[in-house]
Amino acid sequence: MYNGAGKKLTQKLKKTLPVTGPQAPTLYELMQWYCLTTNTHGCRRIVVSKGRLRRWIWISLTLTAVALVFWQCALLIMSYNSVTVSITVNFQKLVFPAVTICNMNAYRYSKIKSYLKTLDEETSQALKDLYGFEESLSRRRRDVEPPKEEMYFNKLPLYIVNNVKGDQVDVTAIPSRKRSRMNAKVMSRNSNTVSFRQENVVGFKLCDPNNKTDCTVFTFSSGVNAIQEWYRLHYMNILAQIPMEEKIAMGYSADDFLVTCFFDGLSCDSRNFTLFHHALYGNCYTFNSIEKGDLLVSSLGGMEYGLKVVLYIDEDEYNPYLITAAGAKILVHDQDEYPFIEDVGTEVETALETAIGMQLTESSKLSSPYSDCTLDGSDVPVSNLYNKKYTLQICLQSCFQLVMVQECGCAHYDQPLPDGAKYCNYKDNPSWIYCYFKLHKKFVQEMLGCQSTCRESCSFKEWELTRSQAKWPSINSEEWMLRVLTWELGDKLNKNLTKQDLANLNIYYQDLNIKSISESPTYNIVTLLSNFGGQLGLWLSCSMVCVLEIFEIFLIDSFWVVLRQRWQKFKKWWKNRKEDQTQQTPDIPVPTMTGHDNPICTGDEDPPTFNTALQLPQAQHLEVPRTPPPMYNSLRIQEAFVHEANDSDDTEYL
């Protein structure tokens, strides 16, 4: 009883007394209580100010301050993922980088010529037919000699494009000189960057073996480019079928290629170099490779403390149709990186001394969320086919090779083999060249998705090179120097050396300063919160506790006030509904009393009465006297008591 009375008293007090704070019944009262009790002066001035004009002024000032706070905080959040770049220069002993050196001629022509005999003959024949070299003599020779099968011309026909009208192309075949018209698309190999005329140029036709109507004529701006590209495609097809051991034997050995060697003022030789076989440049050699064990360190900067080598170029052994420049290619790179010497290599000329000064720069970037770079490539969905440190170039080349294996059924000879794949050749893959050209076009146009999938590496080393050249050897020293070198290499050479056979290379650190470029976050969480607090104190004169208070009032307490209002409305609605249901009584039909004809009184389970007896079956042929129904009014007890009461009253009155 006491608990129930206490609850009722509490409910009555809540209804009669004013309630403030988080227990306020309405949002208006909650906001009014907050403005009177908060430490944020603007909100308080809105409530306590006298006069409508002053109140509106404070409302405008407070809303402006709130807008400025939101704007400044949004700028802080947007700049949270920004970085600052710091550059530091340190002086220290530096590890000498790996230097990969390749002869621009991959294989000695005298050793590989047997594989290229038929290709060279057809190339020479094409040049004669194109530019009229000994034209009459070649015609007489064809008339006398029986015609032989033109293997490479049949696999990759060469044409002179005479005229182009839509898909109708008028061409002249080489070497038969037959003019014809074909349905094919004409595409320039450099049409993505430069456009030129497509009439009277040299090109070759590629068709899909499974669809003879799908043909493309690839044209070039010069017949030299067309012949070289045509020769190069057949050349790679031949190399793909030669065993690796035989290709290494046909290339230049380290003892043949490296004539003299000095590093840091000390003599070195071929044992300080590691063989690296490149698909296009054959036997290349890497100085200071990680495979040699301990890495060499430069003690001082300058030319005298770097790498000095004299290279034997052997220009007489160059392939006349494949290589048009003589010299060597070098690449300075980190020991963990793959040398893409065909893309970023530096050329060294013969009969010159080439001095290359290096300056090391180490760069490191912040990964996500500051940039899209990757730390080691493990989060990039492309397999690394080179087994070297991840770089963007490795990812792009691996991606293209994997797509080519999937689309063309074989791998391109320029790049490493994926597991279970083999290099393309005419015998096993007749349409690989056409498939490669179409796929390479999509790759350049970024339609394969490799550029969007691959990402830059977050850390890398870069050597900035400063190149200078001088005539070497000089006129006064040429005679004795070449004679001495010829005598030293006498067992390996069958001729006297000339300056066109040699190249002198010097690679060194300009100084031992290392430049480090690193990124650091512009804001960390401490500075971000400090700036937030500064903006709040500047514009609203409040602290982070006031922000938590605002969060509590405007989100939590306001939510509960609205929820209580909704709950009270729901309870009121439910109570009214219950009351309406109780007021509505259902209409139950009451049976009327109709004497012995009432069906309620004639059930089988009723005891035998006068009425039921009337409904019993009557005997046949007998007349039963029928009894009239009784006088029901005489059976009413209430009237009898009333009459008796009236009689007694009359008796007492008398």
Side-chain angles (χ1 to χ4, degrees), residues 482 486 493-498 501:
L482 294 178
T486 301
L493 301 176
N494 296 322
K495 65 174 184 176
N496 292 327
L497 289 175
T498 65
D501 292 326

Side-chain angles (χ1 to χ4, degrees), residues 65 87 200 204 279 283 287 362 381 450 485 645:
I87 301 176
N200 298 321
F204 48 80
N283 295 342
F287 177 76
E362 292 183 346
C450 294
L485 291 176

Side-chain angles (χ1 to χ4, degrees), residues 155-157 183-187 189 204-218 229 233 237 400 404 407-410 412 424-426 429-442:
K155 292 180 178 179
L156 193 62
N183 292 326
K185 296 177 291 185
V186 178
M187 182 181 300
R189 286 289 288 154
F204 48 80
K205 184 180 75 169
L206 293 174
C207 294
D208 187 357
N210 300 323
N211 185 8
K212 295 298 182 180
T213 60
D214 185 8
C215 296
T216 302
V217 177
F218 293 91
E229 183 70 15
L233 291 172
N237 184 79
F400 178 80
M404 184 167 179
E407 296 292 333
C408 305
C410 58
H412 196 270
C424 298
N425 59 81
Y426 295 140
N429 312 97
S431 62
W432 79 266
I433 296 181
Y434 189 49
C435 181
Y436 163 72
F437 272 88
K438 292 195 300 183
L439 207 62
H440 188 268
K441 180 183 177 182
K442 293 181 180 180

Side-chain angles (χ1 to χ4, degrees), residues 558-574:
S558 299
F559 170 76
W560 284 112
V561 168
V562 174
L563 185 62
R564 284 198 301 268
Q565 290 178 348
R566 298 288 184 181
W567 177 248
Q568 294 297 332
K569 289 182 179 181
F570 175 76
K571 288 174 61 178
K572 185 177 180 181
W573 171 80
W574 185 259

Side-chain angles (χ1 to χ4, degrees), residues 12 60 121 130 177 203 214 439 442 459 500 506 623 654:
K12 289 182 179 180
S60 302
E121 290 177 356
L130 279 171
R177 288 289 178 178
D214 185 8
L439 207 62
K442 293 181 180 180
S459 61
Q500 301 299 330
N506 297 330
E623 292 184 1
L654 292 175

Side-chain angles (χ1 to χ4, degrees), residues 166-189:
D167 290 339
Q168 297 293 323
V169 185
D170 295 332
V171 297
T172 300
I174 299 173
S176 64
R177 288 289 178 178
K178 293 182 179 179
R179 296 178 63 94
S180 61
R181 175 174 293 181
M182 63 179 66
N183 292 326
K185 296 177 291 185
V186 178
M187 182 181 300
S188 171
R189 286 289 288 154

Side-chain angles (χ1 to χ4, degrees), residues 95-161:
V95 175
F96 200 80
V99 180
T100 299
I101 308 174
C102 304
N103 195 327
M104 296 183 69
N105 184 48
Y107 306 101
R108 296 180 184 271
Y109 188 63
S110 59
K111 294 185 177 181
I112 200 175
K113 190 175 182 178
S114 58
Y115 292 98
L116 306 176
K117 181 180 179 181
T118 304
L119 177 60
D120 291 346
E121 290 177 356
E122 294 192 17
T123 304
S124 178
Q125 183 68 37
L127 290 173
K128 292 177 182 179
D129 291 336
L130 279 171
Y131 301 106
F133 297 126
E134 302 178 3
E135 184 177 0
S136 59
L137 180 62
S138 63
R139 286 182 178 178
R140 289 195 300 269
R141 185 177 302 165
R142 282 198 298 268
D143 294 338
V144 175
E145 296 178 357
K148 62 178 181 179
E149 182 182 0
E150 297 170 344
M151 180 174 64
Y152 294 102
F153 282 132
N154 291 334
K155 292 180 178 179
L156 193 62
L158 272 173
Y159 294 98
I160 298 176
V161 180

